[in-house]
Every structure is written in C-alpha cells, then in structure tokens.
Amino acid sequence: MRAAADWSSGPSQNANPNSDTNISRPLAKFQPSLWADTFVNFTSSDEVAQAQIEQQVKELKEEVKKQLLANANSRVIEITIIDLLECLGVAYHFEQEIEEALQHIYGNYVTYKDTDDLYHTSIRFRIFR
C-alpha cells in the first residue's frame, strides 16, 4: 500500500517549469553534412556561371532545332532524333518542332512505307502511340 502512495505523490520538483535548475538533456552527435554549406553561400560569381549555363542551353536548343529541321527529308533520322529527345526527357522544349515533324511523317507515310526496317518501325510505333 505504501508503494502506491509513493507513486501518487505528484510530480517532482525538477519537472516544474519555473524551477531554476537546469535540466540536462542528451545531445545527439550527428555526422557533418555531406553538402556542407554549399547552398548557403551563394555569391555573385554563381550568378555569372548560371548566366553562362543558360546561354549554353539556349545555343544547344537552337542546334537541336536546326538538326530537326535539316533532317526533314530523312524520315529515319528525324524519327530517331525525336525518339532520343523523348528518351532523354527534353522533348517538352521542342514540342512545336516535334509536332510538325510528326505531321510530316504521318502525312507522307505511304511514300516511305517500303523503306522501314524492324528497328525504325518499332520507334515509329512508340512515338505515334
């Protein structure tokens, strides 16, 4: 009976939030971050590098557009480029050019029907589905 009375005596003095005694809590010892402070320290030189990268991306986009338009007469190369763009996940940058190329390929299918091999037939099937 005495043990029950000890448990019901209420909270101890250490649990009092107004107490002046410091409660020591265990600290976690985490390993240092692999990223360090790379993303925290953003300087203007990063902005210059970002501008250069954006310019390079624009140039590469224009080059891909030129390749798509230059190969308009070669349906095999054109559909292979479209497939590569789809596989790389960058086709959204060239939606209009791809749409025009696919319209051209679909419209002239009868002309090129006899030049297909199995590989290009499978690519065409995957692109047009």
Side-chain angles (χ1 to χ4, degrees):
M1 196 64 151
R2 186 159 167 74
D6 290 339
W7 285 102
S8 63
S9 64
S12 66
Q13 189 171 356
N14 290 341
N16 186 358
N18 296 329
S19 174
D20 290 335
T21 61
N22 291 334
I23 300 173
S24 64
R25 296 187 177 126
L27 298 176
K29 302 224 181 227
F30 295 109
Q31 294 179 359
S33 173
L34 294 174
W35 299 103
D37 58 349
T38 303
F39 298 110
V40 176
N41 296 333
F42 186 77
T43 61
S44 62
S45 65
D46 293 335
E47 292 172 1
V48 172
Q50 183 68 24
Q52 290 174 347
I53 291 170
E54 288 175 3
Q55 180 63 30
Q56 186 178 12
V57 167
K58 287 180 184 178
E59 291 171 2
L60 291 173
K61 281 183 186 179
E62 290 301 318
E63 184 178 332
V64 171
K65 287 180 184 179
K66 287 178 186 176
Q67 286 181 0
L68 264 173
L69 296 175
N71 294 313
N73 295 330
S74 175
R75 182 180 57 87
V76 173
I77 295 173
E78 193 174 28
I79 202 156
T80 305
I81 291 173
I82 293 170
D83 181 52
L84 290 173
L85 293 173
E86 291 284 336
C87 289
L88 290 171
V90 295
Y92 65 94
H93 290 291
F94 312 102
E95 286 180 352
Q96 183 179 1
E97 292 82 5
I98 290 174
E99 184 66 30
E100 291 171 5
L102 292 177
Q103 290 293 333
H104 179 260
I105 292 169
Y106 185 76
N108 297 326
Y109 174 69
V110 176
T111 308
Y112 301 113
K113 190 174 184 179
D114 58 342
T115 61
D116 281 344
D117 60 355
L118 183 60
Y119 173 73
H120 292 102
T121 302
S122 66
I123 289 176
R124 191 179 67 247
F125 178 77
R126 185 172 54 232
I127 295 296
F128 280 114
R129 67 180 165 105

mmCIF file of all heavy atoms in Angstrom, residues 4-35:
data_model
loop_
_atom_site.group_PDB
_atom_site.id
_atom_site.type_symbol
_atom_site.label_atom_id
_atom_site.label_comp_id
_atom_site.label_asym_id
_atom_site.label_seq_id
_atom_site.Cartn_x
_atom_site.Cartn_y
_atom_site.Cartn_z
ATOM 1 N N ALA A 4 2.101 2.424 -3.499
ATOM 2 C CA ALA A 4 1.104 3.143 -4.290
ATOM 3 C C ALA A 4 1.066 4.600 -3.870
ATOM 4 O O ALA A 4 0.874 5.491 -4.680
ATOM 5 C CB ALA A 4 -0.263 2.499 -4.140
ATOM 6 N N ALA A 5 1.248 4.869 -2.612
ATOM 7 C CA ALA A 5 1.234 6.242 -2.111
ATOM 8 C C ALA A 5 2.430 7.006 -2.625
ATOM 9 O O ALA A 5 2.350 8.200 -2.885
ATOM 10 C CB ALA A 5 1.206 6.247 -0.595
ATOM 11 N N ASP A 6 3.589 6.327 -2.799
ATOM 12 C CA ASP A 6 4.775 6.996 -3.307
ATOM 13 C C ASP A 6 4.577 7.431 -4.762
ATOM 14 O O ASP A 6 5.035 8.483 -5.167
ATOM 15 C CB ASP A 6 5.990 6.077 -3.204
ATOM 16 C CG ASP A 6 6.422 5.867 -1.750
ATOM 17 O OD1 ASP A 6 6.056 6.723 -0.922
ATOM 18 O OD2 ASP A 6 7.099 4.869 -1.491
ATOM 19 N N TRP A 7 3.915 6.616 -5.549
ATOM 20 C CA TRP A 7 3.710 6.941 -6.960
ATOM 21 C C TRP A 7 2.682 8.044 -7.140
ATOM 22 O O TRP A 7 2.745 8.817 -8.096
ATOM 23 C CB TRP A 7 3.233 5.709 -7.734
ATOM 24 C CG TRP A 7 4.342 4.734 -7.964
ATOM 25 C CD1 TRP A 7 4.565 3.585 -7.272
ATOM 26 C CD2 TRP A 7 5.371 4.838 -8.932
ATOM 27 N NE1 TRP A 7 5.662 2.942 -7.738
ATOM 28 C CE2 TRP A 7 6.187 3.703 -8.784
ATOM 29 C CE3 TRP A 7 5.700 5.755 -9.902
ATOM 30 C CZ2 TRP A 7 7.291 3.474 -9.563
ATOM 31 C CZ3 TRP A 7 6.789 5.509 -10.684
ATOM 32 C CH2 TRP A 7 7.580 4.393 -10.516
ATOM 33 N N SER A 8 1.773 8.158 -6.270
ATOM 34 C CA SER A 8 0.705 9.136 -6.434
ATOM 35 C C SER A 8 1.023 10.453 -5.747
ATOM 36 O O SER A 8 0.153 11.287 -5.608
ATOM 37 C CB SER A 8 -0.605 8.567 -5.877
ATOM 38 O OG SER A 8 -0.476 8.346 -4.492
ATOM 39 N N SER A 9 2.242 10.613 -5.325
ATOM 40 C CA SER A 9 2.583 11.826 -4.589
ATOM 41 C C SER A 9 2.661 13.046 -5.488
ATOM 42 O O SER A 9 2.748 14.164 -5.016
ATOM 43 C CB SER A 9 3.904 11.633 -3.833
ATOM 44 O OG SER A 9 4.946 11.433 -4.768
ATOM 45 N N GLY A 10 2.654 12.864 -6.825
ATOM 46 C CA GLY A 10 2.652 14.007 -7.730
ATOM 47 C C GLY A 10 4.006 14.200 -8.379
ATOM 48 O O GLY A 10 4.954 13.473 -8.126
ATOM 49 N N PRO A 11 4.116 15.219 -9.241
ATOM 50 C CA PRO A 11 5.361 15.456 -9.975
ATOM 51 C C PRO A 11 6.465 15.933 -9.048
ATOM 52 O O PRO A 11 6.219 16.575 -8.043
ATOM 53 C CB PRO A 11 4.988 16.523 -10.992
ATOM 54 C CG PRO A 11 3.786 17.199 -10.442
ATOM 55 C CD PRO A 11 3.073 16.190 -9.599
ATOM 56 N N SER A 12 7.666 15.621 -9.453
ATOM 57 C CA SER A 12 8.809 16.043 -8.647
ATOM 58 C C SER A 12 9.104 17.513 -8.907
ATOM 59 O O SER A 12 8.596 18.115 -9.842
ATOM 60 C CB SER A 12 10.027 15.183 -8.972
ATOM 61 O OG SER A 12 10.408 15.441 -10.310
ATOM 62 N N GLN A 13 9.966 18.074 -8.130
ATOM 63 C CA GLN A 13 10.293 19.487 -8.237
ATOM 64 C C GLN A 13 11.066 19.777 -9.524
ATOM 65 O O GLN A 13 10.984 20.873 -10.056
ATOM 66 C CB GLN A 13 11.105 19.917 -7.021
ATOM 67 C CG GLN A 13 11.303 21.413 -6.960
ATOM 68 C CD GLN A 13 11.922 21.841 -5.652
ATOM 69 O OE1 GLN A 13 12.133 21.032 -4.769
ATOM 70 N NE2 GLN A 13 12.209 23.112 -5.530
ATOM 71 N N ASN A 14 11.817 18.804 -10.060
ATOM 72 C CA ASN A 14 12.575 19.008 -11.282
ATOM 73 C C ASN A 14 11.681 19.221 -12.493
ATOM 74 O O ASN A 14 12.076 19.820 -13.467
ATOM 75 C CB ASN A 14 13.505 17.817 -11.543
ATOM 76 C CG ASN A 14 14.638 17.767 -10.543
ATOM 77 O OD1 ASN A 14 14.934 18.762 -9.889
ATOM 78 N ND2 ASN A 14 15.248 16.603 -10.412
ATOM 79 N N ALA A 15 10.462 18.730 -12.450
ATOM 80 C CA ALA A 15 9.541 18.862 -13.575
ATOM 81 C C ALA A 15 8.868 20.222 -13.591
ATOM 82 O O ALA A 15 8.176 20.561 -14.533
ATOM 83 C CB ALA A 15 8.493 17.767 -13.527
ATOM 84 N N ASN A 16 9.056 21.033 -12.588
ATOM 85 C CA ASN A 16 8.442 22.357 -12.503
ATOM 86 C C ASN A 16 9.084 23.278 -13.537
ATOM 87 O O ASN A 16 10.302 23.470 -13.518
ATOM 88 C CB ASN A 16 8.618 22.901 -11.084
ATOM 89 C CG ASN A 16 7.888 24.212 -10.881
ATOM 90 O OD1 ASN A 16 7.280 24.731 -11.806
ATOM 91 N ND2 ASN A 16 7.954 24.724 -9.666
ATOM 92 N N PRO A 17 8.312 23.871 -14.448
ATOM 93 C CA PRO A 17 8.910 24.729 -15.465
ATOM 94 C C PRO A 17 9.515 26.007 -14.894
ATOM 95 O O PRO A 17 10.364 26.624 -15.505
ATOM 96 C CB PRO A 17 7.752 25.035 -16.412
ATOM 97 C CG PRO A 17 6.515 24.704 -15.685
ATOM 98 C CD PRO A 17 6.870 23.725 -14.619
ATOM 99 N N ASN A 18 9.098 26.440 -13.719
ATOM 100 C CA ASN A 18 9.616 27.658 -13.105
ATOM 101 C C ASN A 18 10.866 27.409 -12.272
ATOM 102 O O ASN A 18 11.412 28.316 -11.691
ATOM 103 C CB ASN A 18 8.541 28.309 -12.229
ATOM 104 C CG ASN A 18 7.352 28.753 -13.058
ATOM 105 O OD1 ASN A 18 7.503 29.109 -14.225
ATOM 106 N ND2 ASN A 18 6.173 28.722 -12.460
ATOM 107 N N SER A 19 11.318 26.196 -12.253
ATOM 108 C CA SER A 19 12.469 25.837 -11.452
ATOM 109 C C SER A 19 13.727 26.450 -12.048
ATOM 110 O O SER A 19 13.891 26.527 -13.260
ATOM 111 C CB SER A 19 12.596 24.325 -11.376
ATOM 112 O OG SER A 19 13.778 23.988 -10.709
ATOM 113 N N ASP A 20 14.635 26.895 -11.215
ATOM 114 C CA ASP A 20 15.885 27.495 -11.669
ATOM 115 C C ASP A 20 16.951 26.455 -11.995
ATOM 116 O O ASP A 20 17.999 26.800 -12.516
ATOM 117 C CB ASP A 20 16.425 28.444 -10.589
ATOM 118 C CG ASP A 20 15.554 29.687 -10.475
ATOM 119 O OD1 ASP A 20 14.879 30.031 -11.471
ATOM 120 O OD2 ASP A 20 15.569 30.311 -9.402
ATOM 121 N N THR A 21 16.704 25.231 -11.706
ATOM 122 C CA THR A 21 17.697 24.199 -12.005
ATOM 123 C C THR A 21 17.653 23.872 -13.495
ATOM 124 O O THR A 21 16.599 23.828 -14.112
ATOM 125 C CB THR A 21 17.415 22.923 -11.200
ATOM 126 O OG1 THR A 21 16.147 22.420 -11.561
ATOM 127 C CG2 THR A 21 17.508 23.184 -9.714
ATOM 128 N N ASN A 22 18.821 23.681 -14.071
ATOM 129 C CA ASN A 22 18.921 23.340 -15.496
ATOM 130 C C ASN A 22 18.740 21.849 -15.673
ATOM 131 O O ASN A 22 19.380 21.051 -14.992
ATOM 132 C CB ASN A 22 20.274 23.755 -16.059
ATOM 133 C CG ASN A 22 20.408 25.261 -16.122
ATOM 134 O OD1 ASN A 22 19.408 25.955 -16.223
ATOM 135 N ND2 ASN A 22 21.629 25.744 -16.066
ATOM 136 N N ILE A 23 17.888 21.500 -16.568
ATOM 137 C CA ILE A 23 17.680 20.105 -16.888
ATOM 138 C C ILE A 23 18.600 19.777 -18.046
ATOM 139 O O ILE A 23 18.552 20.405 -19.091
ATOM 140 C CB ILE A 23 16.217 19.837 -17.273
ATOM 141 C CG1 ILE A 23 15.292 20.196 -16.108
ATOM 142 C CG2 ILE A 23 16.027 18.393 -17.695
ATOM 143 C CD1 ILE A 23 13.829 20.127 -16.465
ATOM 144 N N SER A 24 19.455 18.839 -17.859
ATOM 145 C CA SER A 24 20.370 18.477 -18.928
ATOM 146 C C SER A 24 19.729 17.384 -19.775
ATOM 147 O O SER A 24 19.265 16.377 -19.261
ATOM 148 C CB SER A 24 21.709 18.012 -18.369
ATOM 149 O OG SER A 24 21.524 16.840 -17.625
ATOM 150 N N ARG A 25 19.696 17.634 -21.044
ATOM 151 C CA ARG A 25 19.151 16.668 -21.990
ATOM 152 C C ARG A 25 20.292 16.120 -22.821
ATOM 153 O O ARG A 25 21.238 16.830 -23.151
ATOM 154 C CB ARG A 25 18.122 17.342 -22.886
ATOM 155 C CG ARG A 25 16.925 17.825 -22.092
ATOM 156 C CD ARG A 25 15.854 18.342 -23.017
ATOM 157 N NE ARG A 25 14.703 18.716 -22.245
ATOM 158 C CZ ARG A 25 14.113 19.893 -22.285
ATOM 159 N NH1 ARG A 25 14.565 20.816 -23.099
ATOM 160 N NH2 ARG A 25 13.072 20.147 -21.547
ATOM 161 N N PRO A 26 20.178 14.895 -23.213
ATOM 162 C CA PRO A 26 21.254 14.322 -24.033
ATOM 163 C C PRO A 26 21.279 14.980 -25.417
ATOM 164 O O PRO A 26 20.244 15.281 -25.990
ATOM 165 C CB PRO A 26 20.889 12.846 -24.134
ATOM 166 C CG PRO A 26 19.430 12.782 -23.832
ATOM 167 C CD PRO A 26 19.130 13.932 -22.924
ATOM 168 N N LEU A 27 22.458 15.240 -25.899
ATOM 169 C CA LEU A 27 22.623 15.845 -27.221
ATOM 170 C C LEU A 27 22.941 14.754 -28.240
ATOM 171 O O LEU A 27 23.683 13.828 -27.965
ATOM 172 C CB LEU A 27 23.759 16.868 -27.209
ATOM 173 C CG LEU A 27 23.560 18.060 -26.285
ATOM 174 C CD1 LEU A 27 24.801 18.931 -26.295
ATOM 175 C CD2 LEU A 27 22.367 18.875 -26.736
ATOM 176 N N ALA A 28 22.371 14.926 -29.407
ATOM 177 C CA ALA A 28 22.652 13.972 -30.483
ATOM 178 C C ALA A 28 23.933 14.387 -31.179
ATOM 179 O O ALA A 28 24.170 15.558 -31.426
ATOM 180 C CB ALA A 28 21.503 13.940 -31.473
ATOM 181 N N LYS A 29 24.749 13.449 -31.505
ATOM 182 C CA LYS A 29 26.010 13.741 -32.190
ATOM 183 C C LYS A 29 25.876 13.265 -33.630
ATOM 184 O O LYS A 29 26.200 12.139 -33.973
ATOM 185 C CB LYS A 29 27.153 13.024 -31.498
ATOM 186 C CG LYS A 29 27.275 13.418 -30.047
ATOM 187 C CD LYS A 29 28.687 13.664 -29.697
ATOM 188 C CE LYS A 29 28.729 14.026 -28.223
ATOM 189 N NZ LYS A 29 29.497 15.144 -27.952
ATOM 190 N N PHE A 30 25.348 14.172 -34.488
ATOM 191 C CA PHE A 30 25.169 13.850 -35.893
ATOM 192 C C PHE A 30 26.470 14.039 -36.645
ATOM 193 O O PHE A 30 27.287 14.899 -36.315
ATOM 194 C CB PHE A 30 24.091 14.737 -36.519
ATOM 195 C CG PHE A 30 22.737 14.499 -35.952
ATOM 196 C CD1 PHE A 30 22.145 15.442 -35.129
ATOM 197 C CD2 PHE A 30 22.047 13.332 -36.238
ATOM 198 C CE1 PHE A 30 20.885 15.236 -34.607
ATOM 199 C CE2 PHE A 30 20.791 13.108 -35.714
ATOM 200 C CZ PHE A 30 20.207 14.061 -34.895
ATOM 201 N N GLN A 31 26.627 13.253 -37.714
ATOM 202 C CA GLN A 31 27.798 13.417 -38.554
ATOM 203 C C GLN A 31 27.651 14.704 -39.348
ATOM 204 O O GLN A 31 26.542 15.151 -39.635
ATOM 205 C CB GLN A 31 27.926 12.245 -39.512
ATOM 206 C CG GLN A 31 28.200 10.941 -38.809
ATOM 207 C CD GLN A 31 28.299 9.797 -39.812
ATOM 208 O OE1 GLN A 31 28.149 9.978 -41.001
ATOM 209 N NE2 GLN A 31 28.558 8.616 -39.287
ATOM 210 N N PRO A 32 28.763 15.326 -39.751
ATOM 211 C CA PRO A 32 28.672 16.541 -40.550
ATOM 212 C C PRO A 32 27.976 16.246 -41.878
ATOM 213 O O PRO A 32 28.078 15.155 -42.427
ATOM 214 C CB PRO A 32 30.124 16.941 -40.794
ATOM 215 C CG PRO A 32 30.960 16.073 -39.931
ATOM 216 C CD PRO A 32 30.126 14.958 -39.438
ATOM 217 N N SER A 33 27.286 17.228 -42.380
ATOM 218 C CA SER A 33 26.548 17.079 -43.630
ATOM 219 C C SER A 33 27.501 16.905 -44.802
ATOM 220 O O SER A 33 28.561 17.537 -44.862
ATOM 221 C CB SER A 33 25.681 18.309 -43.873
ATOM 222 O OG SER A 33 25.095 18.258 -45.139
ATOM 223 N N LEU A 34 27.101 16.067 -45.749
ATOM 224 C CA LEU A 34 27.901 15.896 -46.957
ATOM 225 C C LEU A 34 27.871 17.148 -47.816
ATOM 226 O O LEU A 34 28.794 17.431 -48.567
ATOM 227 C CB LEU A 34 27.369 14.711 -47.771
ATOM 228 C CG LEU A 34 27.502 13.351 -47.126
ATOM 229 C CD1 LEU A 34 26.809 12.304 -47.990
ATOM 230 C CD2 LEU A 34 28.948 12.994 -46.952
ATOM 231 N N TRP A 35 26.791 17.911 -47.705
ATOM 232 C CA TRP A 35 26.611 19.097 -48.548
ATOM 233 C C TRP A 35 27.319 20.318 -47.965
ATOM 234 O O TRP A 35 27.468 21.317 -48.657
ATOM 235 C CB TRP A 35 25.127 19.407 -48.709
ATOM 236 C CG TRP A 35 24.399 18.292 -49.370
ATOM 237 C CD1 TRP A 35 23.600 17.369 -48.771
ATOM 238 C CD2 TRP A 35 24.438 17.954 -50.742
ATOM 239 N NE1 TRP A 35 23.132 16.476 -49.687
ATOM 240 C CE2 TRP A 35 23.633 16.817 -50.917
ATOM 241 C CE3 TRP A 35 25.071 18.489 -51.850
ATOM 242 C CZ2 TRP A 35 23.446 16.226 -52.148
ATOM 243 C CZ3 TRP A 35 24.875 17.887 -53.070
ATOM 244 C CH2 TRP A 35 24.075 16.770 -53.211
#
